[in-house]
Structures are given as C-alpha cells and as structure tokens.
Amino acid sequence: MQLIDGKKTSQDIRAEIAEEVKEIVANGGKRPHLAAVLVGNDGGSMTYVNAKVKACKEVGFESTLIKKEDNITEEELLQIVDDLNNDADIDGFIVQLPLPKHISEDKVTEAIDPKKDVDGFHPVNVGRLVVGLPTFVSATPYGITQLLKRYNVETSGKNCVVLGRSNIVGRPMSILMSQKDMNCTVTVAHSRTQNLKEVCASADILIAAIGSPEFVTADMVKEGATVIDVGTTRVPSSETKSGWRLKGDVKFEEVAPKCNFITPVPGGVGPMTIVSLLSNTLLAGKKAIYK
Ligand code: GUN
C-alpha cells in the first residue's frame, strides 16, 4: 500500500508555479493577479479564502480580497462581479460559496466572465470540459488528476467509480476520468444507485465524494484498488484545540491495507485544491485557455 501524499505534491506544484512566475516577471511579463470575494462571516469560508490569498503571495501572485457583510444585496454583488470582469489588472477571480440565501449562486456564477472564472464553475467552462476544449477545470477534480498522474497510477482501461454527482466534484471528475487523457470506464454512483457495495467493489479506482464520514468500508473495495477520499466532514473531537477534526468518506484503517494507493484525510486531496486554483490563475494570467 502506498500513501498518496497530497501535502508534498501540492508543495512541489507550488514550487513549480513560483518558478514560472519568477520567469514571467523576469521577462517583463505581468504578475498573475487573483481576486477573491468573501461574503459574510462563515468560519469555514473565511479560513479557505485566507488560505487562498496566502497561497497567492507565496507563489508570487498579486491578490485582492474583497470582503462584504452578509446583508449585501444581490445587485451590489453582481456589480462587484461586473467591476472585476472589466478590471484589466485582474486575471481571475472567485466568489466564495456558499452565499447568503437571498443571493442566487447560479446568477452570480453565470455573471462571472468565463475567461476569469478560475473556479471553473461557469456553465461555459463546464461545457468546454464536457466537449474536451481547453478550460478552467474545477479545483478538486483537477487536483485529483494531478495526484493520479504524479503517482503514476495506471488509469487507461480501468474501471473508475465516482461516488457522488455534485457539480463541483463528482460530475466534472467523472468527465475527466472518461476523457482520452485518463481513458477510464466510468460509473457515477449516488444515493439511488442499486447494489452500491458491488458497484464500488468493481472499481480499480474509487473516488469517494459524498460527504458521509467513513461511508466506504473494506467490503466495498477491491483488493489492489486505488482509493481517493474527497470527504472533509468536521466531526467533534476532544483531542484537538479547535474542538473538531476532519473525517474522510473512507474508513481508512480497514480500507488502506487492501489498496495499492490511497489518499489520507487530512493531507490527501485537501491540499491539492488550493494549488489547483493557483494553476488556473497562472493559466488565466498567461491567457492560455482563452486568447
Ligand atoms: N466553497 C467551497 N469550495 C469552493 C471553491 O472551490 N470555490 C468557491 N468559490 N467556493 C467554494
């Protein structure tokens, strides 16, 4: 069994990005600039956005954080999006989700210029992914493909089961794994899937993204499989200062001994998501997706 170390891989990629930024700037190019919009005071969102801004600084990007109270109107937020769309200095930006209930996340996402949508959430970018055009791929699925590649996990011709069909992980993941690059035979399993245990046990590569702690047990995993755990549920813990700890979707202790490769939680998929956002921002800065 080999542990896939997302922390180490993300550090390697960050170093590669920092090197490329240095080169761009040394050659008189523009330093990539990411803006992040944060609405309200949700603890998780604040932590994520602060980590994204810090990561930008570390690789040499410019970053701008726009913080708004949760009583901001939808119209005011759409105006901020419009301003960022038209600001030539901003290469890419994100609006951190979730948004307060009185604001339509779909409307805000669709208002972002696809050329600056480094989250890859805009339907145009999702559509480009489906038809195999260059696009911004959303962070978690992109990070997972990087882990599989960098650990030389054989994917061609293999059965891949994606557990979960969310717009930001399961569905784009299933598309990526079926494309010519990865060449998997893909099954998307979800809450209505019959014989779920058997379906999962048929997977050479099992990607669990349902947000249900320790859902995947040893009897659901084939001997020699690769298991990617996307789950990050916070569960109460008396052993940590914060009072909680992260639990994955996989019962690690009993599943790991059966695996060829497995990602831990924390330290597996999690650290890759921010680095994927950095990769997308670099692509935006270089105008590599849209000319
Ligand atoms: N909320 C949780 N994950 C994400 C993400 O990747 N991007 C944005 N914008 N919001 C999120």
Side-chain angles (χ1 to χ4, degrees), residues 5-262:
D5 187 343
K7 200 169 167 198
K8 156 94 174 50
T9 309
S10 70
Q11 285 164 349
D12 291 348
I13 300 177
R14 274 183 201 219
E16 290 162 18
I17 294 172
E19 199 52 44
E20 201 172 334
V21 173
K22 252 195 222 160
E23 250 175 60
I24 291 171
V25 174
N27 291 326
K30 178 183 173 299
R31 208 175 267 288
H33 187 168
L34 175 81
V37 183
L38 174 64
V39 178
N41 298 301
D42 175 76
S45 290
M46 289 201 291
T47 307
Y48 281 131
V49 170
N50 287 333
K52 289 170 183 178
V53 169
K54 184 164 165 261
C56 281
K57 295 209 170 87
E58 281 169 10
V59 295
F61 291 173
E62 296 276 351
S63 61
T64 299
L65 175 57
I66 301 170
K67 274 189 189 172
K68 294 288 162 187
E69 296 299 322
D70 58 9
N71 61 1
I72 186 174
T73 65
E74 185 177 273
E75 202 183 350
E76 285 166 335
L77 184 56
L78 288 170
Q79 186 58 55
I80 291 171
V81 168
D82 195 45
D83 291 344
L84 291 168
N85 284 340
N86 291 305
D87 184 338
D89 197 61
I90 303 286
D91 297 296
F93 67 97
I94 63 163
V95 179
Q96 186 69 19
L97 305 178
L99 291 170
K101 287 200 170 49
H102 65 277
I103 299 177
S104 160
E105 290 185 354
D106 286 342
K107 230 186 201 176
V108 171
T109 301
E110 286 196 66
I112 297 172
D113 182 343
K115 296 183 182 65
K116 295 193 176 188
D117 168 40
V118 285
D119 262 331
F121 291 171
H122 193 289
V124 165
N125 283 322
V126 179
R128 289 173 68 98
L129 175 71
V130 173
V131 297
L133 283 170
T135 189
F136 296 115
V137 180
S138 63
T140 304
Y142 182 70
I144 291 169
T145 60
Q146 290 304 305
L147 287 177
L148 294 171
K149 282 174 199 240
R150 287 176 184 245
Y151 276 81
N152 295 315
V153 174
E154 181 63 74
T155 56
S156 187
K158 302 295 182 190
N159 286 334
C160 174
V161 173
V162 180
L163 200 45
R165 54 180 162 180
S166 70
N167 283 342
I168 57 176
V169 185
R171 188 160 293 114
M173 192 76 243
S174 69
I175 308 269
L176 283 171
M177 296 306 284
S178 72
Q179 278 168 339
K180 286 204 168 149
D181 192 23
M182 307 303 273
N183 289 304
C184 282
T185 304
V186 179
T187 304
V188 181
H190 46 77
S191 55
R192 302 289 176 90
T193 298
Q194 291 185 351
N195 306 320
L196 186 64
K197 192 180 286 187
E198 289 74 18
V199 171
C200 290
S202 73
D204 300 303
I205 300 164
L206 178 62
I207 302 175
I210 42 169
S212 179
E214 303 192 324
F215 182 87
V216 176
T217 46
D219 55 339
M220 299 166 76
V221 176
K222 188 199 270 193
E223 199 71 47
T226 293
V227 174
I228 305 292
D229 189 348
V230 187
T232 52
T233 308
R234 287 181 175 190
V235 296
S237 169
S238 54
E239 289 158 26
T240 60
K241 250 198 296 181
S242 60
W244 54 265
R245 69 188 184 94
L246 287 183
K247 263 222 163 116
D249 287 350
V250 176
K251 208 164 192 175
F252 186 87
E253 293 75 20
E254 62 175 56
V255 170
K258 294 184 83 174
C259 295
N260 246 353
F261 294 95
I262 186 166

